[in-house]
Amino acid sequence: MLAELVEGEGRFLNCVIDGVFAICEQTSWCLSAHLYMQKSEGSLPNVTEPIIDLGAVNTGESMALIHYFFNKEFDKVNPLISQRIGYEIEQRILKPYYERDDFWWMGFTTDFNKRTCCG
């Protein structure tokens, strides 16, 4: 991303697009140490239960910046690229943030030992 921003010639655009799709295809953006916050048992990430932690937010922020700087170039290649970025940010960050209140960092509980913090 940075190389394309500096050069601005399109030489790295395909690599940026490849990176975007590789990140979008990840099952989870959260750090593996935080998978215990899932309600589902096990050590594998559950794609239907996104966890918002600093890892997920950092990835979401990077994807938002990539979209901001390259959306016009992406749309020239294929509008589905920008749509996919928006979809993943919505599903992994925004929707869980608005619909859940059981992440400890939200401050709705003082019992930090509970598995999902608010039950």
Side-chain angles (χ1 to χ4, degrees), residues 5-117:
L5 284 173
V6 169
E7 191 174 273
E9 300 292 325
R11 185 164 64 118
F12 301 102
L13 190 60
N14 284 338
C15 292
V16 174
I17 293 169
D18 288 345
V20 162
F21 274 89
I23 292 168
C24 288
E25 292 295 326
Q26 292 177 345
T27 302
S28 177
W29 289 351
C30 85
L31 302 173
S32 59
H34 298 148
L35 290 176
Y36 75 91
M37 293 192 293
Q38 291 182 159
K39 293 179 178 98
S40 56
E41 297 293 326
S43 59
L44 295 175
N46 182 348
V47 71
T48 64
E49 188 181 356
I51 300 298
I52 303 175
D53 68 353
L54 289 177
V57 171
N58 186 40
T59 302
E61 180 250 351
S62 294
M63 295 294 277
L65 281 173
I66 289 169
H67 179 266
Y68 177 80
F69 286 116
F70 296 109
N71 69 78
K72 290 181 178 103
E73 288 81 7
F74 289 165
D75 289 347
K76 291 175 189 173
V77 174
N78 192 321
L80 292 176
I81 302 165
S82 293
Q83 290 174 17
R84 179 69 185 269
I85 293 171
Y87 174 82
E88 295 297 338
I89 292 172
E90 177 74 26
Q91 294 300 309
R92 296 172 187 255
I93 306 295
L94 298 176
K95 187 175 177 183
Y97 178 79
Y98 290 126
E99 293 179 355
R100 294 182 63 175
D101 65 358
D102 59 335
F103 294 117
W104 67 267
W105 51 262
M106 290 179 154
F108 295 120
T109 184
T110 57
D111 187 357
F112 299 115
N113 295 319
K114 290 178 84 173
R115 185 157 193 249
T116 58
C117 297

